[in-house]
Amino acid sequence: MIWTVAPEPYDSPVAAALWRAYYTEVSDRWYLLHEGRRTDPDELEREIAAQPGTELAPRRGRLLVARYGGEPVGTAGVRLLDGTTAELKRVFLRESMRGKGGAALLVGAAEDAARALGAGRIVLDTRGDLVEARALYARLGYAETEPYNDDPYAEHWFTKHLT
């Protein structure tokens, strides 16, 4: 099987399905850890609808979709925060695809997209319980840094110079 990564409209059916899978996983993980339950379905629908991904639309952003053997299995997005800094968003691979090299490929493609947007630096935030994500970012050369936003769920912030 072959990996491919290509831009995808943030509002395509493929992007919507992957966003739903991503958000369901991270939300359920948080609620199971903190409250011993899965996300309430109504809350899940509200949050998915409230974050459609418009910030990942071209000119100031990009959404990338990874396909394995032609099947869409993951995403990564970037958006410009200012003229030289991009933010990495929505890095996700379906669980069955993890451990096959797709995450590094997606992040690398997102870094290339950030460079194409004019960024010389990329930042991201993540939660403490997403230990796999934190390990991935460290392995790919991201360094923990001071907070750059006030996201209530963010517990770790990373940066990487793209030059």
Side-chain angles (χ1 to χ4, degrees):
M1 294 285 199
I2 296 174
W3 283 102
T4 60
V5 178
E8 180 83 20
Y10 76 90
D11 57 352
S12 76
V14 165
L18 289 166
W19 170 229
R20 175 174 295 284
Y22 168 87
Y23 196 85
T24 299
E25 181 177 327
V26 297
S27 182
D28 280 354
R29 209 163 152 170
W30 191 91
Y31 277 110
L32 286 167
L33 179 65
H34 295 282
E35 298 183 12
R37 66 174 177 87
R38 295 196 179 278
T39 311
D40 174 84
D42 291 336
E43 178 184 2
L44 184 69
E45 294 306 316
R46 279 192 309 273
E47 291 302 315
I48 288 171
Q51 299 180 42
T54 54
E55 73 279 8
L56 302 176
R59 287 206 236 215
R60 297 193 50 85
R62 296 287 181 282
L63 179 69
L64 304 167
V65 167
R67 288 177 168 78
Y68 189 72
E71 289 296 313
V73 297
T75 63
V78 292
R79 68 177 180 148
L80 285 177
L81 296 179
D82 60 38
T84 61
T85 304
E87 183 179 34
L88 183 62
K89 304 292 292 177
R90 296 189 186 191
V91 176
F92 171 73
L93 275 177
R94 292 192 183 275
E95 190 172 2
S96 63
M97 294 287 100
R98 295 176 190 161
K100 298 180 181 193
L105 188 67
L106 263 170
V107 173
E111 292 170 358
D112 289 343
R115 283 184 198 93
L117 291 169
R121 179 173 81 108
I122 192 164
V123 297
L124 66 95
D125 67 52
T126 192
R127 296 191 328 232
D129 63 307
L130 300 176
V131 293
E132 307 91 340
R134 291 181 15 236
L136 170 71
Y137 300 133
R139 190 173 78 243
L140 296 177
Y142 287 77
E144 267 203 77
T145 189
E146 293 299 314
Y148 65 89
N149 64 23
D150 60 359
D151 183 322
Y153 294 103
E155 298 169 310
H156 297 269
W157 294 262
F158 290 83
T159 188
K160 182 177 181 179
H161 291 280
L162 298 174
T163 56

